[in-house]
Structures are given as C-alpha cells and as structure tokens.
C-alpha cells in the first residue's frame, strides 16, 4: 500500500469540491462581487414583491373585492416604488455590469495579461459574456415573473393599464429581453471605449435613449383592430380593457367623420340635425385588445433578442480581430 500522503492528509483539511473549474472559475471569481450584488438585489426584490402582493390581497379582501366592484384603483407608494425600480433595472444592469465587464480589464491591463496565457481572446470573452448574460437573465427573469404573478390576478386594482409602460415593460418576456439587450450594448460600448467611467456614462445615455424609443414603438408591435357599433349604444364587451388608438363616427356608406363632428354644436337639436344630415349611424373605434398583449410582448422581446445576438456577435468578432 502506498504511503504517500496527499496535501489534504498532511494538513488535516478536507479537500474542497469546486463546482466550477478552469476559465469559468476564474471569471466568476473575478466578478464575484458584481454577481453576488446582483443576486442579493434579486432576492430582496423578490421578497419585496411577494410581500406587497400579500398586502394588496389583504387590502382588496377588506373592501369586499371581487364580490364588490372597486370604486377606485390602488396606487400606493410601494407600488410606484416597485414599478420605478423595475423600470430602472435594465439601465442599472447595463451600466454597472455590462459597461464594466470588459472595459475594466482593458483599462487595468488584465485583458492583456489573460490573453497572453493559454486562453484565447475569444474563449476568455465568451466565458465572460455567458456569465454576464446568465446573471442578467436570472435577475430580470425572476423579478419579472414575480411581478407578472402579482399583476395578473389583480390587474383591475392597478392604476396602470396593460398597455402602459410600467406594466407592459415589466411583465412577461419584455424585461429580461430589454435587460439583455442593454447589457450587451454596455459590453460593446465598453469594448470600444476601453475606459470604465466613460463607458458607464455613454451606456447610461444609450440606455435612456433606448427606453424612450421603446415607449414610442410599443403600440406598433401589433396590428390595430377596427370595430363599429351603433351610435347611441353602449360599447360591446370585447372593448373592455382595450387601448383606444383613435375614434370616429361614420355614415351608413362608411364615410368617417371626426368623433366630435356634430357634438360641438350649441344645441341638441342642431346636433341631431347634423347627425341626420350626414347620415351618421355608427361609432368606429381603432384599438388594441388586451388579448393581443402576449403576442405584442413576445414580438418586442424577439426584436430585442435579435439585437442582443447582433451586439454579442459583433463584440466577439471585434475582440478576435484586434488586441484588447
């Protein structure tokens, strides 16, 4: 029997089992502070959302909902704080995780040191990108799923409609997709600018621009619908929860008039005469329905993911062509 002693037997310590080895271990160790901070933020956010959902449930039960209709929606400070934090999350991840991922190594010379070893630039950067994207997905995916779980059963109590940014952008796949896109943009900006502070500032400006632009194109993610219903009738049930994009009145032959075409006249008699003269018989509404929300979210998320793939591919190509 061999009498050779292992290091563990000589020191009396049990050997440590590493879940990560090689390059993955190096990347996680290098960015452990950022990863742990993001995971801690995710855990705190998850606990906060679960707690606030319970608070809303208790408040609604206290007023007799759903047996009794709500007299007004709920817009507590905690809800506004939650929505603001979720809206800021993609920007925070892009600035503090994406923008610093490569630029810090370039500025401090770590990139040159690593890539002079046996690890290629492409393999080193791929490992860093994988861990960055995984961290972003876990963080944004968890809080988005929990906020969706909070909002869906109680959406009638929220002061924000489904098509408003605070709801549309923070539920379903949109928040993870937007966070990934902005994080990938931050990495690319950092790679090109090579300075941490400058990369963070430019990434912040780009992220704010993207979020503003996203709000402008949100309603273009689905084809609007048109519906006619009699002039003096109540809106049909299918319009409940709709996002109204435009409205007209129309004659029997389909001619459209502005919604206030006859309502601005001084007397009801004059208004009725205007309606009769123009043959107006219907209301016409152009709208997006609540049932279109999932398709709109996945369409938007698809475009954002394509952008993420393009930015990531460019980053890897750029790193392979030029020294870091």
């Amino acid at each position: 029997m061999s009498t050779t002693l292992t290091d563990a037997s000589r020191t009396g310590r049990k050997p440590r089992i590493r879940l990560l080895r090689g390059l993955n271990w190096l990347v996680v160790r290098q960015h452990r502070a950022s990863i742990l901070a993001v995971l801690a933020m995710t855990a705190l956010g998850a606990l906060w959302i679960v707690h606030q959902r319970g608070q809303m449930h208790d408040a609604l039960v206290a007023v007799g909902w759903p047996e009794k209709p709500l007299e007004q929606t709920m817009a507590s400070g905690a809800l506004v704080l939650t929505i603001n934090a979720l809206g800021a999350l993609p920007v925070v991840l892009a600035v503090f995780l994406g923008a610093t991922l490569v630029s810090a190594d370039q500025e401090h010379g770590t990139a040159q040191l690593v890539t002079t070893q046996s690890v290629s630039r492409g393999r080193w950067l791929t490992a860093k990108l994988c861990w960055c994207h995984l961290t972003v997905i876990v963080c944004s995916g968890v809080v988005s799923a929990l906020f969706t779980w909070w909002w869906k059963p109680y959406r009638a109590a929220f002061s924000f409609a489904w098509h408003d940014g605070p709801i549309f952008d923070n539920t379903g796949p949109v928040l993870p997709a937007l966070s990934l896109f902005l994080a990938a943009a931050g990495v690319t900006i950092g790679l090109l600018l090579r300075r941490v502070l400058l990369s963070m500032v430019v990434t912040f400006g780009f992220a704010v621009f993207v979020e503003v632009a996203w709000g402008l194109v949100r309603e273009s993610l689905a084809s609007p619908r048109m519906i006619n219903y009699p002039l003096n009738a109540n809106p049909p049930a299918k319009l409940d929860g709709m996002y109204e994009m435009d409205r007209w009145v129309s004659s029997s032959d389909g001619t459209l008039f502005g919604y206030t075409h006859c309502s601005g006249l001084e007397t009801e008699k004059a208004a009725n005469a205007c309606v009769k003269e123009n043959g107006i018989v219907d209301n016409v509404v152009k709208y997006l329905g609540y049932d279109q929300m999932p398709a709109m979210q996945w369409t938007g998320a698809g475009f954002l993911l394509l952008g993420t793939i393009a930015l990531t591919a460019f980053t890897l190509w750029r790193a392979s062509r030029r020294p870091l």
Side-chain angles (χ1 to χ4, degrees):
M1 181 177 68
S2 173
T3 58
T4 303
L5 297 176
T6 64
D7 291 340
S9 62
R10 284 197 299 267
T11 60
R13 297 177 182 175
K14 293 182 179 180
R16 291 184 300 173
I17 300 176
R18 287 182 179 173
L19 297 178
L20 300 173
R21 296 178 181 276
L23 188 56
N24 284 323
W25 177 85
L26 177 63
V27 170
V28 172
R29 183 170 178 80
Q30 181 187 8
H31 298 285
R32 63 186 181 277
S34 299
I35 293 174
L36 290 175
V38 171
L39 292 178
M41 180 175 62
T42 304
L44 290 174
L47 291 174
W48 172 263
I49 291 174
V50 171
H51 173 70
Q52 291 304 320
R53 186 184 191 271
Q55 293 285 94
M56 178 175 281
H57 172 77
D58 293 342
L60 291 172
V61 169
V63 298
W65 186 86
E67 287 77 14
K68 293 182 179 179
L70 292 174
E71 295 182 1
Q72 61 182 11
T73 56
M74 307 180 73
S76 65
L79 175 59
V80 174
L81 175 62
T82 303
I83 286 173
N84 289 337
L86 290 174
L89 180 62
V91 180
V92 171
L93 292 174
V95 171
F96 292 98
L97 190 60
T100 62
L101 189 73
V102 179
S103 62
D105 289 344
Q106 292 175 306
E107 186 171 356
H108 301 145
T110 309
Q112 290 83 352
L113 176 63
V114 171
T115 54
T116 58
Q117 309 302 313
S118 58
V119 177
S120 66
R121 289 197 299 265
R123 186 180 167 206
W124 171 75
L125 186 55
T126 298
K128 291 174 75 72
L129 287 171
C130 286
W131 278 102
C132 174
H133 290 353
L134 179 62
T135 303
V136 170
I137 290 173
V138 169
C139 176
S140 57
V142 167
V143 295
S144 176
L146 287 173
F147 187 68
T148 304
W149 170 69
W150 176 8
W151 171 75
K152 272 198 171 181
Y154 307 116
R155 66 185 183 92
F158 277 66
S159 56
F160 302 97
W162 66 266
H163 50 81
D164 293 333
I167 300 300
F168 188 92
D169 296 347
N170 295 324
T171 58
V174 177
L175 184 61
L178 183 59
S179 299
L180 267 178
F181 174 73
L182 291 180
V187 175
T188 303
I189 291 169
L191 178 71
L192 296 175
L193 299 182
R194 307 172 70 90
R195 294 292 182 269
V196 175
L197 184 58
L198 179 60
S199 299
M200 294 173 73
V201 171
V202 173
T203 298
F204 176 79
F206 177 78
V208 172
F209 169 78
V210 168
E211 292 213 338
V212 171
W214 176 256
L216 297 176
V217 304
R218 189 184 299 117
E219 66 182 44
S220 303
L221 296 173
S223 299
R225 298 168 176 171
M226 301 281 286
I227 187 172
N228 293 35
Y229 64 93
L231 186 63
N232 296 315
N234 292 324
K238 67 170 62 178
L239 293 182
D240 292 345
M242 70 161 179
Y243 167 50
E244 183 177 310
M245 302 178 71
D246 209 341
R247 178 184 287 265
W248 306 270
V249 290
S250 73
S251 61
S252 56
D253 62 2
T255 303
L256 296 178
F257 302 90
Y259 185 64
T260 59
H261 181 68
C262 293
S263 60
L265 300 179
E266 294 181 358
T267 64
E268 182 178 355
K269 182 178 180 180
N272 291 335
C274 173
V275 169
K276 184 176 181 180
E277 179 183 353
N278 291 282
I280 296 173
V281 294
D282 283 335
N283 291 296
V284 182
V285 179
K286 179 182 180 181
Y287 72 101
L288 293 172
Y290 170 63
D291 61 309
Q292 294 177 277
M293 180 183 181
M296 292 173 66
Q297 287 184 312
W298 281 106
T299 299
F303 286 121
L304 291 169
L305 290 175
L306 287 175
T308 301
I309 293 171
L311 286 170
T312 303
F314 172 79
T315 300
L316 292 171
W317 173 83
R318 177 67 168 70
S320 67
R321 301 285 292 184
R322 297 188 181 184
L324 295 170

